[in-house]
Amino acid sequence: MQIVRVEEAIGNVLCHDITKIIPGEFKGEAFKKGHIITAEDIPKLLKLGKEHLYVWQMKKGFLHENDAGLRLAQAVKGQGLSMTDPSEGKVNLIAGHDGMVAINEELLTRINMIEEIVVATRNNNRPVKKGDKIASVRVIPLLIDETKIAMVEKIAQQTEVVAVKPFHSYKVGVITTGSEVYHGRIQDKFGPVVKAKVEGFGCQVVQHILVPDDAEEIAQAVKSLLANGAELILTTGGMSVDPDDVTPSGIRKAGAEIVTYGAPVLPGSMLMVAYLGQVPVLGLPGCVMYHKTTVFDLVLPLVLTGQHITRPMVVKLGMGGLCLECEVCQYPACSFGTGA
């Protein structure tokens, strides 16, 4: 930083805000810190009573914060994101469609370990809407050594750092188990909740089958849905340890490969995840019926972005897996499931 005469400041970076005051009419910024002085600015600055300025001298091999911010944003930006214009060096990444935030956490950490680099993001694996702000990037100083931006660009060449994966429109089959529902003793309240959730992601429920608490009939229902083109199968009811709750047995009888039975998430610990070939089969615990947000809300978006659910993925949900059951639910703008 150095002091120069206003007439000699052209091409340099202003290091401080300059205020303009018109008594009774206006008081505000005439020039912002970070502004690059131009020839047209000189008479305006002199009129404001400025004869000397604190400036950074633009040097070869250094970038202005706005140029650095643009290159930084372009480096980390993946699919489904657009960039805003820089404002005081900050560039925002905006979701171009509904989807799931996908962040390579290892690369993000390596990038933020570079001094004077800032990449701040939303939590990973969270559903977002088109137009949501997903990340903001900037550099700390007004001028930054260009080699630091080049380091970011080299790291980001490996794979996408920040992206928004689109949701796929799955054909969904639903099985409601329970002899009390099957025989009409009580009304099925599980099916409508599940249907509303999947349709909220643009999916279509192609068939809904009611079956009693019988493992063989559950297995046959799973196979029937698969034969009818279901790309995702959801079973509701019968997931507890009660001797009459045989849904897990029925899923196994259908030939599904069990990934996990149980999840470190409350509400939702009795979740089952299985696969019949490439078709995911989710055994949903009873809490899905009466809790607004459960393990189902954490796992469903992962499935709909085409991710193959593994046991380590489910286990990782334990970090942040305790829903605080707030009076007014703020999910996904909360801590629930942030370990995903």
Side-chain angles (χ1 to χ4, degrees):
M1 187 171 68
Q2 58 184 322
I3 300 175
V4 299
R5 289 178 54 82
V6 166
E7 294 87 350
E8 299 170 356
I10 296 171
N12 291 325
V13 180
L14 186 63
C15 289
H16 54 96
D17 295 335
I18 295 178
T19 302
K20 178 179 181 179
I21 301 175
I22 302 176
E25 294 183 27
F26 176 82
K27 180 180 180 181
E29 292 176 339
F31 295 91
K32 289 186 176 182
K33 180 181 73 172
H35 176 72
I36 299 176
I37 306 298
T38 66
E40 291 76 17
D41 296 332
I42 303 306
K44 299 175 184 176
L45 289 163
L46 292 171
K47 191 174 180 180
L48 289 170
K50 301 297 179 183
E51 295 186 355
H52 297 84
L53 301 171
Y54 281 107
V55 298
W56 283 102
Q57 198 171 30
M58 292 293 290
K59 297 179 181 179
K60 185 177 180 181
F62 282 77
L63 295 173
H64 182 268
E65 62 176 356
N66 284 346
D67 297 323
L70 285 170
R71 281 181 56 178
L72 181 55
Q74 187 61 52
V76 302
K77 180 177 76 72
Q79 65 170 314
L81 291 170
S82 62
M83 294 165 37
T84 64
D85 292 330
S87 175
E88 298 181 355
K90 185 174 72 173
V91 179
N92 296 326
L93 299 181
I94 307 298
H97 51 69
D98 293 358
M100 174 75 84
V101 176
I103 297 168
N104 187 302
E105 296 179 18
E106 188 268 331
L107 294 188
L108 178 65
T109 300
R110 286 174 58 190
I111 288 169
N112 279 324
M113 284 294 292
I114 301 171
E115 286 287 343
E116 303 180 328
I117 298 294
V118 174
V119 181
T121 74
R122 288 195 175 209
N123 282 319
N124 201 6
N125 289 322
R126 306 298 270 187
V128 293
K129 296 290 187 182
K130 179 180 179 180
D132 284 351
K133 182 164 65 174
I134 307 304
S136 292
V137 308
R138 68 167 303 152
V139 296
I140 298 299
L142 290 172
L143 297 175
I144 189 170
D145 189 332
E146 188 175 8
T147 59
K148 293 186 177 182
I149 303 300
M151 290 169 65
V152 174
E153 291 169 334
K154 184 175 181 180
I155 292 171
Q157 284 178 349
Q158 299 177 41
T159 188
E160 293 180 325
V161 180
V162 184
V164 174
K165 295 183 178 180
F167 295 123
H168 302 297
S169 180
Y170 278 47
K171 295 178 180 178
V172 181
V174 178
I175 301 170
T176 296
T177 69
S179 297
E180 68 281 14
V181 175
Y182 179 75
H183 293 295
R185 300 186 188 110
I186 67 170
Q187 182 182 359
D188 172 34
K189 295 185 179 180
F190 224 139
V193 172
V194 172
K195 185 173 184 287
K197 292 216 177 213
V198 297
E199 288 180 346
F201 286 98
C203 296
Q204 176 190 5
V205 175
V206 293
Q207 191 175 3
H208 182 189
I209 302 175
L210 302 180
V211 294
D213 292 307
D214 181 279
E216 189 60 44
E217 292 203 41
I218 293 170
Q220 289 303 315
V222 171
K223 293 176 182 178
S224 176
L225 291 174
L226 195 65
N228 288 336
E231 299 165 309
L232 167 63
I233 296 174
L234 306 175
T235 66
T236 66
M239 293 301 301
S240 77
V241 294
D242 189 293
D244 289 329
D245 288 341
V246 294
T247 301
S249 298
I251 293 173
R252 290 189 179 93
K253 277 183 174 290
E257 178 185 349
I258 307 301
V259 173
T260 186
Y261 179 23
V265 177
L266 294 169
S269 60
M270 303 304 289
L271 173 77
M272 173 175 274
V273 178
Y275 280 87
L276 261 170
Q278 296 301 310
V279 176
V281 182
L282 302 183
L284 304 181
C287 60
V288 173
M289 180 169 51
Y290 50 86
H291 275 278
K292 180 175 176 56
T293 307
T294 69
V295 69
F296 185 41
D297 298 277
L298 304 181
V299 173
L300 180 62
L302 296 173
V303 171
L304 298 184
T305 51
Q307 299 185 59
H308 187 93
I309 308 301
T310 64
R311 176 162 171 74
M313 289 171 67
V314 175
V315 168
K316 194 176 178 183
L317 293 174
M319 177 66 73
L322 178 63
C323 177
L324 299 180
E325 301 182 36
C326 302
E327 187 173 337
V328 178
C329 181
Q330 300 293 327
Y331 179 81
C334 70
S335 64
F336 185 53
T338 49

